[in-house]
Amino acid sequence: MEASSAGSSNPTVSGGKAKTHQPIAKDVNIFFDELEGVNSPSKDDDSLLHHGNLTSTSDDASRLEVVGEEVPDKNKANGLYFRDGKCRIDYILVYRKSNPQTEKREVFERNIRAEGIQMEKESSLTNSDIIFVKLHAPWEVLGKYAELMNVRMPFRPFNPFTAGAPCILVRCCFLNGHFIEINGRSRRSRRKIYYLHRRYKFMNRIEKQISRFRGWLPRKPMKLDKETLPDLEENDCYTAPFSQQRIHHFIIHNKDTFFNNATRSRIVHHILQRVKYEEGKNKIGLNRLLSNGSYEAAFPLHEGSYRSKNSIKTHGAENHRHLLYECWASWGVWYKYQPLDLVRRYFGEKIGLYFAWLGWYTGMLFPAAFIGLFVFLYGVTTLNHCQVSKEVCQATDIIMCPICDKYCPFMRLSDSCVYAKVTHLFDNGATVFFAVFMAVWATVFLEFWKRRRAVIAYDWDLIDWEEEEEEIRPQFEAKYSKKERMNPISGKPEPYQAFADKCSRLIVSASGIFFMICVVIAAVFGIVIYRVVTVSTFAAFKWALIRNNSQVATTGTAVCINFCIIMLLNVLYEKVALFLTNLEQPRTESEWENSFTLKMFLFQFVNLNSSTFYIAFFLGRFTGHPGAYLRLINRWRLEECHPSGCLIDLCMQMGIIMVLKQTWNNFMELGYPLIQNWWTRRKLRQEYGTQRKTSFPQWEKDYNLQPMNAYGLFDEYLEMILQFGFTTIFVAAFPLAPLLALLNNIIEIRLDAYKFVTQWRRPLASRAKDIGIWYGILEGIGILSVITNAFVIAVTSDFIPRLVYAYKYGPCAGQGEAGQKCMVGYVNASLSVFLVSDFENRSEPTSNGSEFSGSPLKYCRYRDYRDPPHSPVPYGYTLQFWHVLAARLAFIIVFEHLVFCIKHLISYLIPDLPKDLRDRMRREKYLIQEMMYEAELERLQKERKERKKNGKSYHNEWP
């Protein structure tokens, strides 16, 4: 009945017809004359502004003061309302009086008021030059734009007991996981209605036994206390796009609370993005005023303080922000599930989906981390039984050739005993199994995320929300406003970008992307030159520690320098990607975000992984052999692998980059805002004292917080996607990567939550159906991981050479057996012999090797499969080399086809939509149609009765 009375009093509905609205860009009236300024004073007039005083430009607020109505003191004190204590602040604009853009602000604010938004101003308590503009959208404005924006609101379902519909359709209501019976005529169901699945007696008995068994188990510690969280009933209600013509169908108890704070802020932001501030097609929108400095900041308010003197267990939460801090952002609840419904209500669907995805990814990392740790522990337990590492440690009589020119000495093979043992920890018999498991894991993770996303989208009413419902970007609208065509879906004219113009812009953008990737490759080439030059430098170093570990020192310093180059290039990439994306002129915000995201990901991925690809697949592969080394620019000898292989270099590269990158990201995400906010609080305490600081209004407190990243959730997603790449692409070389990722993500969830709740201004609530283009990027990484892991196992590790030796050349050759006894003699068979007198003059070492046997060395060994120097073809490839090469190629083909077949089979067997959810969606769609029909019929019957009661009758009336 409240909804019906509210609907009848709404001035936008008359005669059963709703107002018709033109496209939003054309619905904005601009006042450039001086008539408006006569009736309202200048907004930058210093005489109107005083410290702590409010200057209202709202006629309604002035009228309330004149009448003398009582003002709620509580609302006035918390800083969330206007001076009257009734008009809630929906948005805050901040500017400086000293800023010269006064005329633009005045025109902009006059047009804001022309849209019906109420406004108040107040100067800052800490700086009189800073002015806060408080905006409030009344009911009429909210209803008008909620209809234009297709905002979905709780829908009043049909009551079958009053309309005479068959009760069998809606006898049961699904509430909090249980089916309840609806009985009583006055009880109107507001929950989503589902049908009860048919169950058999046998299944009921099994369910009873399972529930009885669960009763013996302890309470799940990871679940949040349901009594702590509020009952967010809109998650269980039917929703529909808001319509003023059908306002009587919506559940409206109070107009002031019908639209929640996040929705109100989103509507006001939508209006601000389409208000002009100057003549000209591009002079539109709040973003341009922020970019040219007319306004310093624009943000919605937090709902109050996130701390409270009273305990949440005894006195409850002060507000949703306080509740989020206690149940989500506090470090003490790191092991509990996230309250995603509350996150979505406070921050919007886009941020809610990010945390849902992050939580799902973290949960799926548990089995991957467990298996990776098992592979590592398997290497630890089998270390003493590894025949290869034993032979390396016992090879005191095998002298290896120098790994660089002149200054690198001869070395015993046994000197690399430690590196051989470390290599076995990562390169053992379980590595292939783990690579296959991780490829399958990536597919299972993505497939089950699609199912999880479908459930979340259904619960949050995002199933029917399509990209077509998005509004056009103001920049696109302004640039192509002269070219319009009819939208085939809405039937309204809209700006149109010609195909030739779009293609030319895409070609220029693609050229820019290609050029920047070339810059990355050039940077990697510089790192390669550094490595080949400094190996000799470290080999001639005075300190014995560095001289004896010259290759490790070279790799470590090269990785650190590479990391610094990565961070420097990231700054350049961001500016280039922003320029190219704006050059393309995307139509909607989603298209802009997807385009910018793809560019930044390509830049960052190539920048971060190019050196890793070099170490994995090129380091030590094209060096030649002693006496005929391949050189860079015919000067520098290419770097060789360590006698124990290149896998240790790859592990070091991944470990250092992964740890440094995540540490730096965590510092920039939380450490930097913490330092900035601490410094601001310190200055305020010094100037005004602790007591005065606590009495600051909410807009002052929020202004002192750090603004959210200009690109939204891009940095958060990018960090996790790059981590996902490290976890899957080279996981065969570093099985501990999933464990490190899991530990980081457990911290990352609470770190991001703490940052959003306490350190950042409240971001604008935005809607999104999924994680956008990031899902396609994840699928691409999953496919790339299969290929790279196949090559890492076949090319970088020694798995294939050992397998060939065990079955073809070892003691067990031809017997079909494999084991440690079959690997006896493998190290000697994998090393070739070189005559020291065949060294080139520029690569001949300064030492003759007499320190090993008392006389100059005649022969040294090196890693390769080549003939001895006195053979008919000196240093030619042996038959074992071709066998190993053929086995490597065969393994790559078999591994890729096998894993891809498993991935496609899993994708086929796992449906994207759970069957019970699909049935519920179909049932709900059917019931909604029935409800709308019956509700309209009920309304018409009531109107007919009222007409008869009043003595008015019409002929041929239906029904």
Side-chain angles (χ1 to χ4, degrees), residues 44 94-105 129-131 289-296:
D44 291 345
V94 186
Y95 69 89
R96 291 183 180 270
K97 289 192 295 184
S98 58
N99 189 282
Q101 306 286 348
T102 304
E103 184 178 353
K104 294 180 180 179
R105 285 197 303 271
D129 190 42
I130 297 176
I131 307 299
L289 290 176
L290 290 171
S291 61
N292 63 26
S294 299
Y295 288 99
E296 276 204 350

PDB file of all heavy atoms in Angstrom, residues 44 94-105 129-131 289-296:
ATOM      1  N   ASP A  44      31.508  31.387  -6.193  1.00  0.00           N
ATOM      2  CA  ASP A  44      32.843  31.605  -5.668  1.00  0.00           C
ATOM      3  C   ASP A  44      32.936  32.888  -4.849  1.00  0.00           C
ATOM      4  O   ASP A  44      34.006  33.406  -4.596  1.00  0.00           O
ATOM      5  CB  ASP A  44      33.859  31.684  -6.819  1.00  0.00           C
ATOM      6  CG  ASP A  44      34.031  30.336  -7.471  1.00  0.00           C
ATOM      7  OD1 ASP A  44      33.595  29.355  -6.862  1.00  0.00           O
ATOM      8  OD2 ASP A  44      34.594  30.262  -8.571  1.00  0.00           O
ATOM      9  N   VAL A  94      35.191  19.251  -5.001  1.00  0.00           N
ATOM     10  CA  VAL A  94      36.160  20.057  -4.260  1.00  0.00           C
ATOM     11  C   VAL A  94      36.908  20.946  -5.247  1.00  0.00           C
ATOM     12  O   VAL A  94      37.365  20.475  -6.294  1.00  0.00           O
ATOM     13  CB  VAL A  94      37.157  19.173  -3.484  1.00  0.00           C
ATOM     14  CG1 VAL A  94      38.060  20.037  -2.608  1.00  0.00           C
ATOM     15  CG2 VAL A  94      36.425  18.136  -2.644  1.00  0.00           C
ATOM     16  N   TYR A  95      37.026  22.232  -4.901  1.00  0.00           N
ATOM     17  CA  TYR A  95      37.834  23.144  -5.722  1.00  0.00           C
ATOM     18  C   TYR A  95      38.488  24.171  -4.818  1.00  0.00           C
ATOM     19  O   TYR A  95      38.180  24.279  -3.626  1.00  0.00           O
ATOM     20  CB  TYR A  95      36.983  23.822  -6.791  1.00  0.00           C
ATOM     21  CG  TYR A  95      35.975  24.825  -6.273  1.00  0.00           C
ATOM     22  CD1 TYR A  95      36.321  26.171  -6.097  1.00  0.00           C
ATOM     23  CD2 TYR A  95      34.674  24.444  -5.981  1.00  0.00           C
ATOM     24  CE1 TYR A  95      35.393  27.085  -5.626  1.00  0.00           C
ATOM     25  CE2 TYR A  95      33.743  25.352  -5.514  1.00  0.00           C
ATOM     26  CZ  TYR A  95      34.110  26.675  -5.340  1.00  0.00           C
ATOM     27  OH  TYR A  95      33.199  27.588  -4.871  1.00  0.00           O
ATOM     28  N   ARG A  96      39.405  24.930  -5.393  1.00  0.00           N
ATOM     29  CA  ARG A  96      40.086  26.012  -4.676  1.00  0.00           C
ATOM     30  C   ARG A  96      39.592  27.354  -5.195  1.00  0.00           C
ATOM     31  O   ARG A  96      39.460  27.550  -6.405  1.00  0.00           O
ATOM     32  CB  ARG A  96      41.598  25.895  -4.843  1.00  0.00           C
ATOM     33  CG  ARG A  96      42.207  24.697  -4.125  1.00  0.00           C
ATOM     34  CD  ARG A  96      43.720  24.674  -4.278  1.00  0.00           C
ATOM     35  NE  ARG A  96      44.298  23.534  -3.583  1.00  0.00           N
ATOM     36  CZ  ARG A  96      44.705  23.561  -2.304  1.00  0.00           C
ATOM     37  NH1 ARG A  96      44.579  24.690  -1.610  1.00  0.00           N
ATOM     38  NH2 ARG A  96      45.226  22.495  -1.747  1.00  0.00           N
ATOM     39  N   LYS A  97      39.376  28.264  -4.266  1.00  0.00           N
ATOM     40  CA  LYS A  97      38.925  29.594  -4.674  1.00  0.00           C
ATOM     41  C   LYS A  97      39.979  30.317  -5.499  1.00  0.00           C
ATOM     42  O   LYS A  97      39.650  31.157  -6.339  1.00  0.00           O
ATOM     43  CB  LYS A  97      38.574  30.418  -3.427  1.00  0.00           C
ATOM     44  CG  LYS A  97      37.311  29.961  -2.728  1.00  0.00           C
ATOM     45  CD  LYS A  97      36.846  30.970  -1.703  1.00  0.00           C
ATOM     46  CE  LYS A  97      37.844  31.100  -0.570  1.00  0.00           C
ATOM     47  NZ  LYS A  97      37.352  32.024   0.481  1.00  0.00           N
ATOM     48  N   SER A  98      41.235  29.997  -5.248  1.00  0.00           N
ATOM     49  CA  SER A  98      42.314  30.662  -5.989  1.00  0.00           C
ATOM     50  C   SER A  98      42.444  30.158  -7.417  1.00  0.00           C
ATOM     51  O   SER A  98      43.196  30.731  -8.198  1.00  0.00           O
ATOM     52  CB  SER A  98      43.636  30.459  -5.249  1.00  0.00           C
ATOM     53  OG  SER A  98      43.914  29.072  -5.088  1.00  0.00           O
ATOM     54  N   ASN A  99      41.742  29.075  -7.741  1.00  0.00           N
ATOM     55  CA  ASN A  99      41.811  28.546  -9.101  1.00  0.00           C
ATOM     56  C   ASN A  99      41.143  29.514 -10.076  1.00  0.00           C
ATOM     57  O   ASN A  99      40.046  30.017  -9.814  1.00  0.00           O
ATOM     58  CB  ASN A  99      41.116  27.182  -9.157  1.00  0.00           C
ATOM     59  CG  ASN A  99      41.327  26.479 -10.475  1.00  0.00           C
ATOM     60  OD1 ASN A  99      40.681  26.807 -11.456  1.00  0.00           O
ATOM     61  ND2 ASN A  99      42.240  25.524 -10.489  1.00  0.00           N
ATOM     62  N   PRO A 100      41.763  29.801 -11.214  1.00  0.00           N
ATOM     63  CA  PRO A 100      41.204  30.815 -12.126  1.00  0.00           C
ATOM     64  C   PRO A 100      40.013  30.334 -12.956  1.00  0.00           C
ATOM     65  O   PRO A 100      39.407  31.132 -13.670  1.00  0.00           O
ATOM     66  CB  PRO A 100      42.391  31.150 -13.037  1.00  0.00           C
ATOM     67  CG  PRO A 100      43.228  29.909 -13.035  1.00  0.00           C
ATOM     68  CD  PRO A 100      43.079  29.304 -11.676  1.00  0.00           C
ATOM     69  N   GLN A 101      39.647  29.049 -12.880  1.00  0.00           N
ATOM     70  CA  GLN A 101      38.571  28.519 -13.719  1.00  0.00           C
ATOM     71  C   GLN A 101      37.192  28.804 -13.103  1.00  0.00           C
ATOM     72  O   GLN A 101      36.331  27.932 -13.036  1.00  0.00           O
ATOM     73  CB  GLN A 101      38.750  27.001 -13.893  1.00  0.00           C
ATOM     74  CG  GLN A 101      40.101  26.584 -14.405  1.00  0.00           C
ATOM     75  CD  GLN A 101      40.266  26.882 -15.881  1.00  0.00           C
ATOM     76  OE1 GLN A 101      39.303  27.197 -16.568  1.00  0.00           O
ATOM     77  NE2 GLN A 101      41.492  26.805 -16.366  1.00  0.00           N
ATOM     78  N   THR A 102      36.974  30.034 -12.667  1.00  0.00           N
ATOM     79  CA  THR A 102      35.731  30.365 -11.957  1.00  0.00           C
ATOM     80  C   THR A 102      34.523  30.325 -12.883  1.00  0.00           C
ATOM     81  O   THR A 102      33.463  29.791 -12.526  1.00  0.00           O
ATOM     82  CB  THR A 102      35.856  31.765 -11.333  1.00  0.00           C
ATOM     83  OG1 THR A 102      37.010  31.786 -10.488  1.00  0.00           O
ATOM     84  CG2 THR A 102      34.605  32.101 -10.526  1.00  0.00           C
ATOM     85  N   GLU A 103      34.672  30.864 -14.075  1.00  0.00           N
ATOM     86  CA  GLU A 103      33.531  30.954 -14.987  1.00  0.00           C
ATOM     87  C   GLU A 103      33.032  29.572 -15.387  1.00  0.00           C
ATOM     88  O   GLU A 103      31.818  29.333 -15.449  1.00  0.00           O
ATOM     89  CB  GLU A 103      33.933  31.760 -16.222  1.00  0.00           C
ATOM     90  CG  GLU A 103      32.785  32.002 -17.193  1.00  0.00           C
ATOM     91  CD  GLU A 103      33.209  32.840 -18.373  1.00  0.00           C
ATOM     92  OE1 GLU A 103      34.350  33.348 -18.366  1.00  0.00           O
ATOM     93  OE2 GLU A 103      32.402  32.971 -19.310  1.00  0.00           O
ATOM     94  N   LYS A 104      33.947  28.654 -15.644  1.00  0.00           N
ATOM     95  CA  LYS A 104      33.545  27.297 -16.020  1.00  0.00           C
ATOM     96  C   LYS A 104      32.783  26.628 -14.883  1.00  0.00           C
ATOM     97  O   LYS A 104      31.782  25.935 -15.108  1.00  0.00           O
ATOM     98  CB  LYS A 104      34.778  26.472 -16.395  1.00  0.00           C
ATOM     99  CG  LYS A 104      35.485  26.944 -17.657  1.00  0.00           C
ATOM    100  CD  LYS A 104      36.689  26.075 -17.959  1.00  0.00           C
ATOM    101  CE  LYS A 104      37.390  26.554 -19.227  1.00  0.00           C
ATOM    102  NZ  LYS A 104      38.586  25.750 -19.548  1.00  0.00           N
ATOM    103  N   ARG A 105      33.252  26.828 -13.663  1.00  0.00           N
ATOM    104  CA  ARG A 105      32.557  26.218 -12.524  1.00  0.00           C
ATOM    105  C   ARG A 105      31.166  26.795 -12.351  1.00  0.00           C
ATOM    106  O   ARG A 105      30.216  26.075 -12.050  1.00  0.00           O
ATOM    107  CB  ARG A 105      33.374  26.415 -11.251  1.00  0.00           C
ATOM    108  CG  ARG A 105      34.600  25.533 -11.144  1.00  0.00           C
ATOM    109  CD  ARG A 105      35.090  25.497  -9.705  1.00  0.00           C
ATOM    110  NE  ARG A 105      35.391  26.842  -9.203  1.00  0.00           N
ATOM    111  CZ  ARG A 105      36.568  27.439  -9.314  1.00  0.00           C
ATOM    112  NH1 ARG A 105      37.561  26.805  -9.929  1.00  0.00           N
ATOM    113  NH2 ARG A 105      36.758  28.646  -8.810  1.00  0.00           N
ATOM    114  N   ASP A 129      40.930  28.162   1.550  1.00  0.00           N
ATOM    115  CA  ASP A 129      40.954  28.223   0.086  1.00  0.00           C
ATOM    116  C   ASP A 129      40.225  27.038  -0.537  1.00  0.00           C
ATOM    117  O   ASP A 129      39.853  27.079  -1.704  1.00  0.00           O
ATOM    118  CB  ASP A 129      42.412  28.259  -0.396  1.00  0.00           C
ATOM    119  CG  ASP A 129      42.521  28.554  -1.879  1.00  0.00           C
ATOM    120  OD1 ASP A 129      41.776  29.437  -2.363  1.00  0.00           O
ATOM    121  OD2 ASP A 129      43.321  27.883  -2.554  1.00  0.00           O
ATOM    122  N   ILE A 130      40.028  25.976   0.220  1.00  0.00           N
ATOM    123  CA  ILE A 130      39.381  24.752  -0.287  1.00  0.00           C
ATOM    124  C   ILE A 130      37.882  24.838  -0.024  1.00  0.00           C
ATOM    125  O   ILE A 130      37.451  25.093   1.109  1.00  0.00           O
ATOM    126  CB  ILE A 130      39.978  23.498   0.368  1.00  0.00           C
ATOM    127  CG1 ILE A 130      41.460  23.365   0.012  1.00  0.00           C
ATOM    128  CG2 ILE A 130      39.215  22.247  -0.067  1.00  0.00           C
ATOM    129  CD1 ILE A 130      42.144  22.199   0.690  1.00  0.00           C
ATOM    130  N   ILE A 131      37.084  24.633  -1.067  1.00  0.00           N
ATOM    131  CA  ILE A 131      35.631  24.697  -0.978  1.00  0.00           C
ATOM    132  C   ILE A 131      35.046  23.329  -1.313  1.00  0.00           C
ATOM    133  O   ILE A 131      35.429  22.705  -2.312  1.00  0.00           O
ATOM    134  CB  ILE A 131      35.059  25.768  -1.933  1.00  0.00           C
ATOM    135  CG1 ILE A 131      35.739  27.108  -1.696  1.00  0.00           C
ATOM    136  CG2 ILE A 131      33.551  25.874  -1.766  1.00  0.00           C
ATOM    137  CD1 ILE A 131      35.558  27.662  -0.301  1.00  0.00           C
ATOM    138  N   LEU A 289      36.679  18.733 -16.375  1.00  0.00           N
ATOM    139  CA  LEU A 289      36.919  19.757 -15.368  1.00  0.00           C
ATOM    140  C   LEU A 289      37.958  19.296 -14.348  1.00  0.00           C
ATOM    141  O   LEU A 289      38.719  20.106 -13.813  1.00  0.00           O
ATOM    142  CB  LEU A 289      35.604  20.104 -14.665  1.00  0.00           C
ATOM    143  CG  LEU A 289      34.570  20.859 -15.511  1.00  0.00           C
ATOM    144  CD1 LEU A 289      33.286  21.054 -14.720  1.00  0.00           C
ATOM    145  CD2 LEU A 289      35.116  22.204 -15.970  1.00  0.00           C
ATOM    146  N   LEU A 290      37.976  17.995 -14.058  1.00  0.00           N
ATOM    147  CA  LEU A 290      39.003  17.469 -13.164  1.00  0.00           C
ATOM    148  C   LEU A 290      40.379  17.491 -13.827  1.00  0.00           C
ATOM    149  O   LEU A 290      41.389  17.772 -13.178  1.00  0.00           O
ATOM    150  CB  LEU A 290      38.648  16.042 -12.739  1.00  0.00           C
ATOM    151  CG  LEU A 290      37.455  15.880 -11.794  1.00  0.00           C
ATOM    152  CD1 LEU A 290      37.095  14.415 -11.637  1.00  0.00           C
ATOM    153  CD2 LEU A 290      37.763  16.484 -10.421  1.00  0.00           C
ATOM    154  N   SER A 291      40.415  17.184 -15.119  1.00  0.00           N
ATOM    155  CA  SER A 291      41.699  17.149 -15.818  1.00  0.00           C
ATOM    156  C   SER A 291      42.292  18.540 -16.027  1.00  0.00           C
ATOM    157  O   SER A 291      43.508  18.709 -16.001  1.00  0.00           O
ATOM    158  CB  SER A 291      41.542  16.441 -17.171  1.00  0.00           C
ATOM    159  OG  SER A 291      40.614  17.136 -17.988  1.00  0.00           O
ATOM    160  N   ASN A 292      41.433  19.558 -16.240  1.00  0.00           N
ATOM    161  CA  ASN A 292      41.977  20.908 -16.440  1.00  0.00           C
ATOM    162  C   ASN A 292      42.113  21.690 -15.142  1.00  0.00           C
ATOM    163  O   ASN A 292      42.462  22.870 -15.169  1.00  0.00           O
ATOM    164  CB  ASN A 292      41.121  21.693 -17.446  1.00  0.00           C
ATOM    165  CG  ASN A 292      39.694  21.921 -16.950  1.00  0.00           C
ATOM    166  OD1 ASN A 292      39.417  21.949 -15.761  1.00  0.00           O
ATOM    167  ND2 ASN A 292      38.770  22.096 -17.897  1.00  0.00           N
ATOM    168  N   GLY A 293      41.835  21.057 -14.004  1.00  0.00           N
ATOM    169  CA  GLY A 293      42.084  21.680 -12.719  1.00  0.00           C
ATOM    170  C   GLY A 293      40.961  22.533 -12.185  1.00  0.00           C
ATOM    171  O   GLY A 293      41.130  23.185 -11.136  1.00  0.00           O
ATOM    172  N   SER A 294      39.812  22.584 -12.852  1.00  0.00           N
ATOM    173  CA  SER A 294      38.695  23.373 -12.317  1.00  0.00           C
ATOM    174  C   SER A 294      38.236  22.829 -10.971  1.00  0.00           C
ATOM    175  O   SER A 294      37.898  23.597 -10.063  1.00  0.00           O
ATOM    176  CB  SER A 294      37.534  23.365 -13.321  1.00  0.00           C
ATOM    177  OG  SER A 294      37.920  23.949 -14.542  1.00  0.00           O
ATOM    178  N   TYR A 295      38.187  21.502 -10.854  1.00  0.00           N
ATOM    179  CA  TYR A 295      37.887  20.857  -9.582  1.00  0.00           C
ATOM    180  C   TYR A 295      39.081  19.998  -9.187  1.00  0.00           C
ATOM    181  O   TYR A 295      39.731  19.375 -10.042  1.00  0.00           O
ATOM    182  CB  TYR A 295      36.632  19.998  -9.671  1.00  0.00           C
ATOM    183  CG  TYR A 295      35.349  20.794  -9.759  1.00  0.00           C
ATOM    184  CD1 TYR A 295      34.730  21.011 -10.982  1.00  0.00           C
ATOM    185  CD2 TYR A 295      34.761  21.325  -8.624  1.00  0.00           C
ATOM    186  CE1 TYR A 295      33.558  21.753 -11.076  1.00  0.00           C
ATOM    187  CE2 TYR A 295      33.583  22.057  -8.700  1.00  0.00           C
ATOM    188  CZ  TYR A 295      32.990  22.269  -9.932  1.00  0.00           C
ATOM    189  OH  TYR A 295      31.840  22.998 -10.004  1.00  0.00           O
ATOM    190  N   GLU A 296      39.344  19.955  -7.895  1.00  0.00           N
ATOM    191  CA  GLU A 296      40.464  19.154  -7.409  1.00  0.00           C
ATOM    192  C   GLU A 296      40.080  17.694  -7.198  1.00  0.00           C
ATOM    193  O   GLU A 296      40.900  16.802  -7.401  1.00  0.00           O
ATOM    194  CB  GLU A 296      40.985  19.720  -6.085  1.00  0.00           C
ATOM    195  CG  GLU A 296      41.953  20.851  -6.254  1.00  0.00           C
ATOM    196  CD  GLU A 296      42.850  20.991  -5.038  1.00  0.00           C
ATOM    197  OE1 GLU A 296      42.582  20.330  -4.022  1.00  0.00           O
ATOM    198  OE2 GLU A 296      43.809  21.764  -5.130  1.00  0.00           O
TER     199      GLU A 296
END
